Amino acid sequence: MKIKNIEIENNLCLAPMAGIADRAFRELCIHYGAGYTVSEMVSAKGFTMGDKKSRELMVLGESENPAAIQIFGDDPSIMAEAAEKCLAFKPQVIDINMGCPAPKIAMNGGGASLMKKPELAGEIIKAVSSAASVPVTVKIRKGWDDETINAVQLAEIAEKNGAAAITVHGRTRMQMYSGTVDYDIIARVKQAVSIPVIGNGDIKDEQSAAIMLEKTNCDAIMIGRGALGNPWLFQRLNAYLSECRVLPEVSINEKMVVMLRHIQKIIDYKGEYTALREARHHAAYYTKGLRGGAAFRREIGQLETYEQLQELAFRIAKENE
């Protein structure tokens, strides 16, 4: 797939999950075969006002190529300023978030709330596209609620105002992450525009990835929650989609090795104190389904050092052999 002149090695993308898809996790997913990554969403207003946290979220690793920085906001001029300034971080793409369902974003004019304001959405896309020297993409949802299904309209507006690709999550904002993904709306978007369409929602294994591609005819798929504690999913999907091979399940020992590698990367970028607290969330996914998993997760919540996490990981592997 190409986003204008940006060529992506395969059709597997990592979703911009806030609080999850940081540099450490993105680099891990790239190692296992993700072809394209998108940063955690960054507040355009916060960034243009010099917020340190916003700048940290924009840092891309050397292996992230191609990669996008995602920004959100509801003021065209501020969004354009943020897009221009974020070029200093050398993204290959700038993505506009018009799909986040989180109340603190959607109830304050950003994210999915822009789907209720198609005209404003178009102004934002046009302003960002005019300000940026790299391709601009947009991430949307099916609609705000079941009474306002307007993904096709938003996609057409996005293309008209300069978007180079569009990602569609097949749920409404009111659904959040409940219910099932609507393949039909993604297929309708694909039929309506000539720019690449990326399908998003409920992709967690080989079967769901194949179904998304078959039912929507989308150009690529974006994996979010399915990759949590499961970065090798990209490796499995690449093998299945390109060679029709089903790889063997990952061993418990490898899961623990990858978990430790993941947390070590977070330590490298954020320090041990922050990493061990973030490890509690990630470990919940890496230990899901394991014998004694609940007890292990409680224990992880009490850890203070990486060495303690190493010892626990070795014990988890041994007890689940």
Side-chain angles (χ1 to χ4, degrees):
M1 185 185 74
K2 277 190 174 184
I3 299 177
K4 276 195 174 176
N5 61 322
I6 305 299
E7 189 163 351
I8 298 173
E9 185 177 345
N10 57 50
N11 61 350
L12 305 180
C13 314
L14 176 66
M17 296 173 284
I20 298 293
D22 60 3
R23 179 181 172 184
F25 188 61
R26 296 196 305 269
E27 289 181 341
L28 193 60
C29 291
I30 290 168
H31 173 76
Y32 281 102
Y36 175 67
T37 59
V38 185
S39 76
E40 298 174 80
M41 62 180 178
V42 178
S43 165
K45 184 176 181 180
F47 175 54
T48 55
M49 294 179 68
D51 177 60
K52 182 181 177 182
K53 175 67 173 177
S54 296
R55 293 183 64 84
E56 291 173 352
L57 292 174
M58 288 186 170
V59 176
L60 301 173
E62 291 182 4
S63 63
E64 293 190 78
N65 189 353
I69 288 177
Q70 187 184 75
I71 57 176
F72 75 91
D74 62 349
D75 185 306
S77 61
I78 293 177
M79 288 286 282
E81 181 183 353
E84 188 173 9
K85 287 183 174 179
C86 86
L87 294 174
F89 294 86
K90 300 182 179 179
Q92 286 74 47
V93 176
I94 292 175
D95 187 58
I96 303 173
N97 186 318
M98 293 188 176
C100 179
K104 67 178 181 179
I105 305 298
M107 296 305 183
N108 285 287
S113 70
L114 288 167
M115 298 199 69
K116 296 191 294 182
K117 304 172 183 177
E119 186 175 337
L120 176 58
E123 291 174 6
I124 290 172
I125 296 165
K126 185 175 183 178
V128 173
S129 297
S130 299
S133 58
V134 298
V136 172
T137 60
V138 185
K139 190 171 191 291
I140 65 172
R141 281 192 164 231
K142 175 181 176 178
W144 178 259
D145 55 28
D146 288 338
E147 281 67 53
T148 53
I149 307 300
N150 62 344
V152 172
Q153 179 192 12
L154 259 292
E156 291 173 336
I157 287 172
E159 182 176 29
K160 180 181 177 181
N161 285 281
I166 190 158
T167 300
V168 185
H169 184 115
R171 288 184 175 86
T172 65
R173 185 272 161 183
M174 297 306 289
Q175 280 183 283
M176 298 291 282
Y177 298 99
S178 65
T180 56
V181 68
D182 184 345
Y183 299 111
D184 181 63
I185 192 67
I186 301 173
R188 285 166 54 199
V189 168
K190 174 60 182 170
Q191 293 169 357
V193 298
S194 59
I195 55 177
V197 173
I198 303 170
N200 177 222
D202 289 355
I203 300 169
K204 58 185 183 298
D205 53 27
E206 294 90 338
Q207 183 181 22
S208 54
I211 289 173
M212 173 66 81
L213 289 165
E214 181 183 352
K215 290 194 173 184
T216 69
N217 198 34
C218 60
D219 301 279
I221 55 179
M222 180 168 280
I223 296 97
R225 293 172 296 159
L228 299 183
N230 187 25
W232 44 84
L233 175 61
F234 292 96
Q235 186 178 58
R236 298 182 63 88
L237 295 184
N238 273 319
Y240 184 77
L241 296 174
S242 63
E243 304 172 25
C244 294
R245 287 191 301 125
V246 177
L247 299 180
E249 292 294 328
V250 175
S251 69
I252 301 302
N253 186 63
E254 185 176 353
K255 280 188 177 183
M256 293 301 99
V257 168
V258 173
M259 180 183 75
L260 290 173
R261 187 187 307 159
H262 184 175
I263 304 308
Q264 181 61 63
K265 277 181 172 286
I266 301 177
I267 291 173
D268 292 343
Y269 299 139
K270 302 179 183 179
E272 188 173 53
Y273 180 85
T274 298
L276 265 294
R277 277 140 191 83
E278 292 188 4
R280 298 167 184 174
H281 182 78
H282 292 294
Y285 290 99
Y286 282 108
T287 59
K288 186 178 180 180
L290 298 186
R291 186 166 57 250
F296 289 135
R297 287 189 285 276
R298 286 194 296 271
E299 197 168 340
I300 288 170
Q302 305 302 315
L303 301 183
E304 296 295 334
T305 69
Y306 181 70
E307 287 71 24
Q308 291 174 331
L309 179 62
Q310 284 180 309
E311 292 173 4
L312 179 58
F314 294 145
R315 179 151 55 87
I316 291 172
K318 186 175 181 179
E319 294 184 14
N320 280 272
E321 286 179 345

